[in-house]
């Protein structure tokens, strides 16, 4: 068993994801009731990428999200600090790089777009991660953060939080290679900033024109921004 604390020690978080890598994609599909595919498509659409673009997919895990992005015709690279996750996606034919979101192994201003899906809350210092994403993005380039967020309906929000803390770990026991890790994931979702607060943090990290759109009743939010030219 491997479970990170909300203090997010990078070694612990990486080890936790290494431990769940084998069945990670299946577990996500089951726990999201199949919504993960929809969220990936919406992220690709929000990035507005196409042939000729260079795209960084950060916290890409097994690179299933990177493959979806590459359907646009853009050149896309998967980056993650869990070597186990990248290894689990070895059969996916996209470039893969192991790297820390707070110290990205890329030069300044090389990407036309950067995205991170369900990984920003696992970065030890997510504000530093947002600044690093801005550093490697070209002026005028785009950012899309797809992350769990705060449901907009109060009753639904209560039901959702009960699902996170009770049903999600129970379901993970049936399908995950490390169900204990999903207790941490549920806790990290509950502790995450609201849509408005995350938008403010993205702006403070050097991005402009920050906006967001709720998906699935606010269970997930897409935050989009642009690097000032």
């Amino acid at each position: 068993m491997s479970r990170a604390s909300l203090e997010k020690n990078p070694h612990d978080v990486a080890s936790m994801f290494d431990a769940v890598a084998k069945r990670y994609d299946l577990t996500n599909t089951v726990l999201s009731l199949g919504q993960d595919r929809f969220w990936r498509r919406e992220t690709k659409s929000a990035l507005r990428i196409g042939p000729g673009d260079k795209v960084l997919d950060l916290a890409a895990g097994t690179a299933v999200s990177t493959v979806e992005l590459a359907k646009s015709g853009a050149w896309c690279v998967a980056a993650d600090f869990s070597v186990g996750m990248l290894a689990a996606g070895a059969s996916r034919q996209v470039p893969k790089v192991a790297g820390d979101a707070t110290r990205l192994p890329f030069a300044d201003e090389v990407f036309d777009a950067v995205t991170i899906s369900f990984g920003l809350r696992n970065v030890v210092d997510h504000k530093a991660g947002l600044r690093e994403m801005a550093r490697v993005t070209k002026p005028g380039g785009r950012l899309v953060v797809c992350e769990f967020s705060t449901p907009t309906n109060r009753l639904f929000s209560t039901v959702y939080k009960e699902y996170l803390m009770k049903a999600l770990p129970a379901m993970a026991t049936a399908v995950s290679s490390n169900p204990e890790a999903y207790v941490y994931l549920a806790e990290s979702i509950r502790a995450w900033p609201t849509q408005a607060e995350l938008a403010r943090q993205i702006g403070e990290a050097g991005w402009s024109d920050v906006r967001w759109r709720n998906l699935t009743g606010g269970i997930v939010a897409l935050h989009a921004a642009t690097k000032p030219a």
Side-chain angles (χ1 to χ4, degrees):
M1 291 293 185
S2 175
R3 175 186 168 194
S5 76
L6 290 181
E7 296 300 314
K8 300 178 189 174
N9 177 283
H11 175 76
D12 291 345
V13 175
S15 296
M16 183 195 74
F17 279 102
D18 287 346
V20 301
K22 184 177 180 180
R23 304 184 71 182
Y24 185 75
D25 295 332
L26 171 64
T27 304
N28 282 351
T29 297
V30 171
L31 295 182
S32 70
L33 306 179
Q35 288 290 293
D36 57 324
R37 299 183 181 96
F38 166 67
W39 297 332
R40 285 194 292 271
R41 292 194 300 268
E42 290 299 301
T43 298
K44 180 182 68 176
S45 178
L47 270 178
R48 296 181 289 112
I49 53 177
D53 285 332
K54 293 181 178 179
V55 181
L56 172 62
D57 185 17
L58 190 56
T62 65
V64 65
S65 56
T66 320
V67 169
E68 178 66 34
L69 295 174
K71 292 178 181 177
S72 68
W75 182 87
C76 305
V77 58
D80 201 288
F81 74 158
S82 168
V83 175
M85 291 287 280
L86 294 173
S91 63
R92 296 192 169 105
Q93 299 301 304
V94 292
K96 302 176 185 69
V97 175
D100 184 340
T102 63
R103 297 188 299 276
L104 291 173
F106 304 105
D108 295 351
E109 301 180 358
V110 294
F111 292 104
D112 299 286
V114 177
T115 185
I116 182 168
S117 294
F118 308 109
L120 188 60
R121 73 183 189 285
N122 297 316
V123 177
V124 62
D125 182 349
H126 71 271
K127 296 176 184 178
L130 289 166
R131 291 193 295 270
E132 270 291 271
M133 289 179 234
R135 178 185 66 78
V136 302
T137 302
K138 297 176 183 177
R142 302 171 299 283
L143 167 73
V144 170
V145 176
C146 180
E147 187 56 87
F148 290 111
S149 199
T150 305
T152 53
N153 179 279
R154 182 175 297 178
L155 176 60
F156 178 55
S157 180
T158 300
V159 172
Y160 173 61
K161 288 176 181 177
E162 288 297 309
Y163 167 76
L164 282 178
M165 299 311 298
K166 295 180 180 178
L168 187 148
M171 291 174 66
T173 299
V175 295
S176 172
S177 53
N178 184 4
E180 179 71 8
Y182 285 84
V183 176
Y184 156 77
L185 292 175
E187 292 170 347
S188 69
I189 293 168
R190 289 185 56 145
W192 190 241
T194 64
Q195 290 90 322
E197 174 61 18
L198 181 58
R200 183 186 66 79
Q201 293 176 4
I202 292 172
E204 290 177 348
W207 297 91
S208 64
D209 189 26
V210 183
R211 63 272 186 204
W212 74 85
R213 178 164 62 94
N214 291 318
L215 302 177
T216 319
I219 287 177
V220 167
L222 287 181
H223 283 74
T226 304
K227 181 173 177 178

